[in-house]
Amino acid sequence: MNFIKSANILQILVLILVFSSCSKEKKVALSDAQLPKNALPKMKPLQNETPKLTADYIDSKKRSIDSFYTKNWNNSANGSFLVAKNGQIIYEKYEGYANFRDKTRITSKTPLHIASVSKVLTATAILKLVNAKRIDLNQKVTTILKEFPYPDVTIRTLLNHRSGMRSYAYFTDRDPQVWDSHKILTNQDLLTIMATKKIALEYKTDSRFTYCNTNYAMLALIIEKTTKLTYKEAMKQIIFKPLGMKNTFVMDYDTDRKTVAPSYKGNKVEIGMDYLDAIYGDKNIYSTPRDLLKFDRARYSPSFLEPALLAQVYKGYSNERKGTKNYGLGIRMINWDTGQNFYFHNGWWHGNTSAFITLPKEKVTLIALSNKFTRNTYNIRKLSVLFGDYPFRLEDE
């Protein structure tokens, strides 16, 4: 009798294990569109990139990159520099000071202002919300921001800089009746000014391309309205925290301006902040190359966006006249007649310069950041020739 009871108990335990195993196998991660309305879509890291780079491959590339770095920066660099393939770092360099006054050295964990490279991250948060069906690319901005005064502007025309809006830096600094530049300007102030001060469009919406920071300041407000969180918190929850970007944050002007790394002119004179430094979405993200590498690779994760939406990101929207330069949804591109494409975004704010380059075919990421003004930051694009057929030259031009 005891044997029978023991056998029954054993059978029950086996069945429990079998059913438990089946339920685990059936557990599938929800897509962004399947998430409950109170749950935010979140970035997911790209896992198990292959193939692993060999030591010989890394050494050969490292020698070429180091030679290029030495020629272009000539030991005068002040910033961060990284080259990676398949998510694996081939070369990185951190030189100079985050703060010349207290001699704080720049390291791999030092967040620097990434200027307009912030637009790529803002666009990514918007695209995740589109992927989750919270907003639509062709949705009129007036349906989200009730004050917004331009009826034909859509989320898409903000992302691809075809809205026709004017740059906030130009319409807020010339007329004290529009804005007193002694007062700090916020994103909400910017919206209110456009709504109440009769700031006309520069041209008819979607009739041509003009790169304009105002577009991304408005996208930041759309993120806030849609998520019911501050832009700073929304970016943290959608992108930074899920990807382990521990040294990345949106600067809060009130609490962070005295502690972030300052920026400098080329002669090391510090550039102070001004009334435009509280605006976010188009700028004001601080990050590191290692964190941006995590971000770049995550944009190639299968869960990032639905294929139809992803295809629209890398489509050019600024080609009214024949040429190679183009702009997608939050990413710059060069489209050559050969069929080769080059995807990147540069940044420049005060003394901060930044370059973010992503080569999808080669699985390569190139990142350069500096808080002491130099155009050399943008030269990192020339390293693309080490990995693919790109019409750049490693030699100085």
Side-chain angles (χ1 to χ4, degrees), residues 244-260:
M245 297 170 68
K246 295 181 180 178
N247 297 301
T248 302
F249 60 92
V250 177
M251 186 193 80
D252 183 304
Y253 182 84
D254 292 329
T255 60
D256 299 332
R257 71 180 185 275
K258 293 181 180 178
T259 57
V260 294

Side-chain angles (χ1 to χ4, degrees), residues 49 65 81-91 289-298 300 343 355-360 362-368 380 383-384 387:
E49 287 201 74
I65 297 167
F81 185 98
L82 181 145
V83 178
K85 181 176 172 64
N86 298 353
Q88 300 166 55
I89 297 172
I90 295 174
Y91 185 94
R290 288 187 183 182
D291 276 3
L292 289 173
L293 173 61
K294 293 176 183 177
F295 167 75
D296 176 51
R297 302 318 302 151
Y300 295 99
Y343 302 104
F356 170 84
I357 297 161
T358 179
L359 307 178
E362 296 82 9
K363 300 182 180 178
V364 166
T365 311
L366 310 171
I367 298 163
I380 194 172
L383 290 174
S384 304
F387 302 98

Side-chain angles (χ1 to χ4, degrees), residues 107-207:
T107 72
S108 63
K109 295 181 179 179
T110 304
L112 297 178
H113 197 306
I114 65 172
S116 282
V117 173
S118 301
K119 291 182 175 70
V120 186
L121 286 83
T122 298
T124 296
I126 285 284
L127 291 165
K128 288 299 283 182
L129 292 170
V130 170
N131 207 48
K133 312 297 184 191
R134 308 298 166 82
I135 52 178
D136 187 88
L137 280 179
N138 296 319
Q139 186 173 352
K140 299 288 182 69
V141 175
T142 51
T143 65
I144 304 169
L145 305 177
K146 302 305 181 184
E147 287 180 78
F148 193 75
Y150 312 117
D152 295 327
V153 174
T154 63
I155 291 172
R156 188 191 300 271
T157 57
L158 294 179
L159 284 167
N160 63 21
H161 294 289
R162 297 180 64 87
S163 69
M165 287 193 297
R166 297 176 181 273
S167 170
Y168 64 74
Y170 299 139
F171 66 73
T172 59
D173 73 338
R174 298 175 181 177
D175 184 353
Q177 297 301 313
V178 172
W179 187 255
D180 178 359
S181 59
H182 294 95
K183 292 165 53 181
I184 298 302
L185 184 69
T186 69
N187 291 54
Q188 180 56 51
D189 290 330
L190 187 54
L191 175 58
T192 302
I193 289 169
M194 293 190 298
T196 60
K197 300 295 184 180
K198 297 182 179 179
I199 307 297
L201 291 176
E202 191 171 358
Y203 55 85
K204 183 181 177 183
T205 297
D206 208 22
S207 64

Side-chain angles (χ1 to χ4, degrees), residues 327-344:
Y327 203 96
L329 301 181
I331 193 78
R332 286 189 181 274
M333 61 187 75
I334 303 175
N335 306 124
W336 290 288
D337 290 337
T338 60
Q340 180 69 296
N341 300 309
F342 181 76
Y343 302 104
F344 72 104

Side-chain angles (χ1 to χ4, degrees), residues 4-20:
I4 294 171
K5 283 183 179 179
S6 298
N8 287 339
I9 291 169
L10 185 60
Q11 286 177 330
I12 291 167
L13 287 172
V14 169
L15 285 172
I16 288 170
L17 286 171
V18 168
F19 285 127
S20 173

